[in-house]
């Protein structure tokens, strides 16, 4: 596939395209031509084939991957920042083609192939990128305090079925149990030459 694209490099010896100029899964033929600067005659040319590979679907879950759920409360799973590496982050084209699904098992204190949790979604969003999780009232007696439930979030591209997964854990707490939270004041990335600063909080339902 031939494709006419001007180079954005100021150096005539370097051919550079801006990001997202080429279509993933396509092949392009680049022809390098060297000319005599005096006669302006074509002296030599050489073709180069470029195969553009498809990028990954990147799953991003806001907050910690270990969440706490009070037995009479709910916890939010927000994966709306997930994206397709083949699409520009500033555009909405990437997120609009992503589909979200959730599966769940109980992992502690014993394995159960069902976690008895309910996943509720915003009726205005068809992608299900944000889920509000609570204990299913019909199975509340099956859920023990301090039990751990593993939720696998799958994000799939609606056209080519590329997909990625991310796993998080939800621990069920009693209504009287305080919730301890520790976060880095420097965000998820830090300069290794600086001191790590952590801040903590304790939240009680009572």
């Amino acid at each position: 596939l031939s494709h006419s694209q001007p180079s954005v490099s100021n150096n005539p010896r370097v051919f550079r395209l801006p990001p997202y100029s080429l279509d993933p899964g396509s092949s392009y033929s680049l022809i390098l031509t060297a000319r005599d600067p005096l006669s302006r005659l074509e002296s030599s040319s050489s073709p180069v084939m470029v195969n553009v590979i498809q990028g990954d679907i990147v799953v991003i879950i806001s907050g910690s991957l270990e969440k706490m759920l009070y037995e009479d409360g709910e916890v939010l799973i927000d994966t709306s920042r997930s994206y397709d590496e083949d699409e520009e982050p500033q555009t909405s084209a990437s997120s609009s083609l992503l589909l979200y699904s959730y599966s769940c098992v109980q992992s502690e204190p014993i394995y159960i192939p069902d976690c008895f949790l309910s996943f509720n979604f915003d009726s205005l969003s068809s992608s299900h990128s944000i889920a509000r999780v609570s204990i299913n009232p019909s199975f509340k007696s099956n859920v023990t305090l301090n039990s751990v439930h593993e939720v696998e979030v799958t994000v799939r591209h609606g056209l080519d079925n590329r997909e990625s997964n991310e796993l998080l854990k939800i621990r069920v707490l009693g209504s009287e149990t305080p919730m301890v939270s520790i976060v880095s004041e420097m965000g998820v990335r830090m300069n290794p030459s600086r001191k790590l600063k952590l801040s903590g909080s304790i939240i009680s339902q009572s």
Side-chain angles (χ1 to χ4, degrees):
L1 175 66
S2 62
H3 194 76
S4 177
Q5 280 273 18
S7 173
V8 295
S9 173
N10 294 324
N11 186 345
R13 296 185 178 184
V14 176
F15 183 81
R16 179 181 292 117
L17 293 176
Y20 309 103
S21 298
L22 305 180
D23 297 327
S26 301
S27 297
Y28 295 86
S29 175
L30 302 180
I31 300 178
L32 170 64
T33 302
R35 300 178 185 274
D36 188 319
L38 298 179
S39 63
R40 308 291 294 177
L41 297 177
E42 180 177 310
S43 59
S44 179
S45 63
S46 177
V48 177
M49 291 298 300
V50 176
N51 298 315
V52 184
I53 62 174
Q54 286 191 309
D56 295 325
I57 303 298
V58 180
V59 182
I60 297 179
I61 299 177
S62 298
S64 172
L65 294 180
E66 295 187 4
K67 300 182 182 298
M68 306 298 177
L69 170 63
Y70 284 111
E71 57 181 337
D72 54 355
E74 67 176 18
V75 66
L76 188 71
I77 300 178
D78 183 355
T79 58
S80 59
R81 293 172 56 212
S82 301
Y83 63 92
D84 179 3
E85 288 183 330
D86 290 339
E87 300 288 345
E88 294 188 66
Q90 295 82 3
T91 66
S92 59
S94 173
S95 59
S96 64
L97 293 174
L98 299 181
L99 303 175
Y100 300 77
S101 60
Y102 304 79
S103 61
C104 184
V105 299
Q106 177 178 294
S107 58
E108 297 178 24
I110 61 172
Y111 175 83
I112 301 178
D114 195 344
C115 63
F116 310 114
L117 300 182
S118 293
F119 293 80
N120 301 305
F121 306 100
D122 187 345
S123 60
L124 299 178
S125 174
S126 59
S127 67
H128 293 172
S129 62
I130 299 178
R132 297 184 180 276
V133 183
S134 58
I135 297 176
N136 190 324
S138 301
F139 300 100
K140 191 171 184 177
S141 60
N142 299 81
V143 179
T144 59
L145 297 182
N146 211 38
S147 59
V148 177
H149 307 267
E150 295 186 355
V151 178
E152 183 178 55
V153 182
T154 301
V155 182
R156 178 175 59 85
H157 196 281
L159 296 180
D160 56 33
N161 289 326
R162 284 175 298 137
E163 68 177 35
S164 292
N165 307 285
E166 185 65 89
L167 193 69
L168 63 92
K169 294 182 179 181
I170 297 178
R171 185 179 294 273
V172 176
L173 304 177
S175 58
E176 303 299 323
T177 306
M179 184 183 298
V180 179
S181 175
I182 300 177
V183 297
S184 169
E185 296 182 0
M186 306 172 67
V188 296
R189 296 182 180 180
M190 62 170 292
N191 188 329
S193 63
R194 299 179 60 187
K195 291 184 178 181
L196 174 63
K197 294 183 179 180
L198 300 176
S199 61
S201 62
I202 300 177
I203 303 175
S204 176
Q205 292 288 84
S206 58

